[in-house]
């Protein structure tokens, strides 16, 4: 199934107010996506509307956020349970740097219902880092029955490599790349044999489904109880584990 696990909505201050959960799903479905995650900065407040609308568009929803660690590394925190995602969202907001958002300067942070009605606006600036390090975020997400994927590891800002210089070991279900490394020696990035995915990091309507990937799993496997039930996290994680892995050895052989 065609999947995309990194998408923002009108809740993210750096995103478009036009990109409500409904619009995100409409565009994703029109471009063939079957599995889609909503991952606003440090918050899951638009995930309830995303959950209510997803089946209407034939999309399997994954819930979560793009968390910012204390080192300013972006990490996708993903849940198959809406309740778990919302509980983790409450926790991360308590760990967010308490700096008030100024919509005129940094952008609006609105959360909406399934009809695009504004329910409220988040007070603290959501792009700020959490009081949670890269060494601890995986363990914390696991406490809420979720998985973690370091975001855009090959990007020169807000990534593991930009902040630490290398990909470090951790409980990563996969690594997200802007593009999968090639056999070009000058393009070398040691991804340490983790499964690799690409995702769109959509902030505007035109970004939706620009970098999806194929997830080797069926809807029946993800939902053994049938549509309307919660997706099975371990099956989702196992499917991610089937993705391409790049090692130093196979790059040299290439």
């Amino acid at each position: 199934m065609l999947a995309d696990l990194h998408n923002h909505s009108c809740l993210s201050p750096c995103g478009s107010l036009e990109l409500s959960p409904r619009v995100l799903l409409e565009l994703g479905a029109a471009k063939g996506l079957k599995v889609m995650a909503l991952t606003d900065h440090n918050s899951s407040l638009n995930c309830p509307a995303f959950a209510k609308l997803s089946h209407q568009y034939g999309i399997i929803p994954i819930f979560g956020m793009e968390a910012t660690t204390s080192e300013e590394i972006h990490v996708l925190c993903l849940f198959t349970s809406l309740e778990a995602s919302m509980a983790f969202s409450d926790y991360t907001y308590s760990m967010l740097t308490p700096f008030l958002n100024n919509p005129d300067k940094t952008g609006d942070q609105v959360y909406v219902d399934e009809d695009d009605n504004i329910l409220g606006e988040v007070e603290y600036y959501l792009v700020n880092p959490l009081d949670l390090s890269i060494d601890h975020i995986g363990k914390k997400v696991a406490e809420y029955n979720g998985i973690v994927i370091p975001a855009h590891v090959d990007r020169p800002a807000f990534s593991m490599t930009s902040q630490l210089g290398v990909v470090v070991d951790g409980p990563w279900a996969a690594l997200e790349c802007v593009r999968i490394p090639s056999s070009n020696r000058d393009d070398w990035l040691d991804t340490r044999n983790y499964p690799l995915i690409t995702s769109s990091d959509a902030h505007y309507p035109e970004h939706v489904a620009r970098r999806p990937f194929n997830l080797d799993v069926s809807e029946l496997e993800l939902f053994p109880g049938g549509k309307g039930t919660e997706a099975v996290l371990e099956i989702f994680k196992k499917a991610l584990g089937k993705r391409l892995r790049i090692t130093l050895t196979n790059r040299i052989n290439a």
Side-chain angles (χ1 to χ4, degrees), residues 33 45-46 71 89 93 101 120 151 180 212 232:
L33 293 182
L45 282 175
N46 263 345
E71 302 90 349
S89 182
Y93 195 69
N101 184 49
I180 302 296
V232 179

Side-chain angles (χ1 to χ4, degrees), residues 132-199:
L132 191 63
S133 73
I134 191 67
D135 290 330
H136 295 101
I137 193 166
K139 296 175 183 176
K140 197 66 186 179
V141 171
E143 291 178 14
Y144 289 81
N145 200 30
I147 61 172
V148 286
I149 298 176
H152 40 66
V153 296
D154 52 344
R155 185 171 285 173
F158 297 112
S159 71
M160 193 177 282
T161 54
S162 73
Q163 304 308 100
L164 303 179
V166 294
V167 171
V168 298
D169 283 329
W172 323 131
L175 301 179
E176 181 200 65
C177 302
V178 175
R179 61 190 181 95
I180 302 296
S182 70
S183 58
N184 183 344
R185 300 287 182 88
D186 295 332
D187 187 42
W188 166 245
L189 172 64
D190 186 358
T191 52
R192 307 181 72 86
N193 204 36
Y194 287 104
L196 303 178
I197 67 168
T198 57
S199 291

Side-chain angles (χ1 to χ4, degrees), residues 33-234:
L33 293 182
K34 295 298 181 184
V35 180
M36 200 173 194
L38 178 54
T39 52
D40 282 303
H41 288 289
N42 290 325
S43 179
S44 296
L45 282 175
N46 263 345
C47 283
F50 188 71
K52 289 180 180 178
L53 292 165
S54 58
H55 297 298
Q56 177 181 329
Y57 292 96
I59 286 179
I60 294 170
I62 304 295
F63 314 106
M65 67 180 64
E66 182 180 27
T68 305
T69 70
S70 55
E71 302 90 349
E72 295 193 313
I73 298 169
H74 287 180
V75 179
L76 302 177
C77 305
L78 304 175
F79 307 85
T80 54
S81 163
L82 174 62
E83 291 73 19
S85 184
M86 297 306 291
F88 185 70
S89 182
D90 288 341
Y91 167 76
T92 55
Y93 195 69
S94 73
M95 303 294 283
L96 184 65
T97 304
F99 181 83
L100 294 177
N101 184 49
N102 183 337
D104 293 332
K105 291 185 176 181
T106 51
D108 296 288
Q109 300 184 149
V110 298
Y111 52 101
V112 300
D113 64 16
E114 61 271 28
D115 296 315
D116 293 354
N117 298 308
I118 295 175
L119 300 176
E121 187 162 0
V122 176
E123 182 180 21
Y124 291 153
Y125 183 50
L126 288 172
V127 179
N128 274 334
L130 305 171
D131 186 16
L132 191 63
S133 73
I134 191 67
D135 290 330
H136 295 101
I137 193 166
K139 296 175 183 176
K140 197 66 186 179
V141 171
E143 291 178 14
Y144 289 81
N145 200 30
I147 61 172
V148 286
I149 298 176
H152 40 66
V153 296
D154 52 344
R155 185 171 285 173
F158 297 112
S159 71
M160 193 177 282
T161 54
S162 73
Q163 304 308 100
L164 303 179
V166 294
V167 171
V168 298
D169 283 329
W172 323 131
L175 301 179
E176 181 200 65
C177 302
V178 175
R179 61 190 181 95
I180 302 296
S182 70
S183 58
N184 183 344
R185 300 287 182 88
D186 295 332
D187 187 42
W188 166 245
L189 172 64
D190 186 358
T191 52
R192 307 181 72 86
N193 204 36
Y194 287 104
L196 303 178
I197 67 168
T198 57
S199 291
S200 296
D201 194 6
H203 286 74
Y204 294 86
E206 58 267 29
H207 293 167
V208 176
R210 62 180 172 176
R211 288 190 296 267
F213 68 97
N214 287 311
L215 190 64
D216 186 9
V217 67
S218 70
E219 188 169 317
L220 182 61
E221 289 174 295
L222 270 181
F223 295 97
K227 282 188 176 181
T229 61
E230 187 177 298
V232 179
L233 181 69
E234 286 306 313

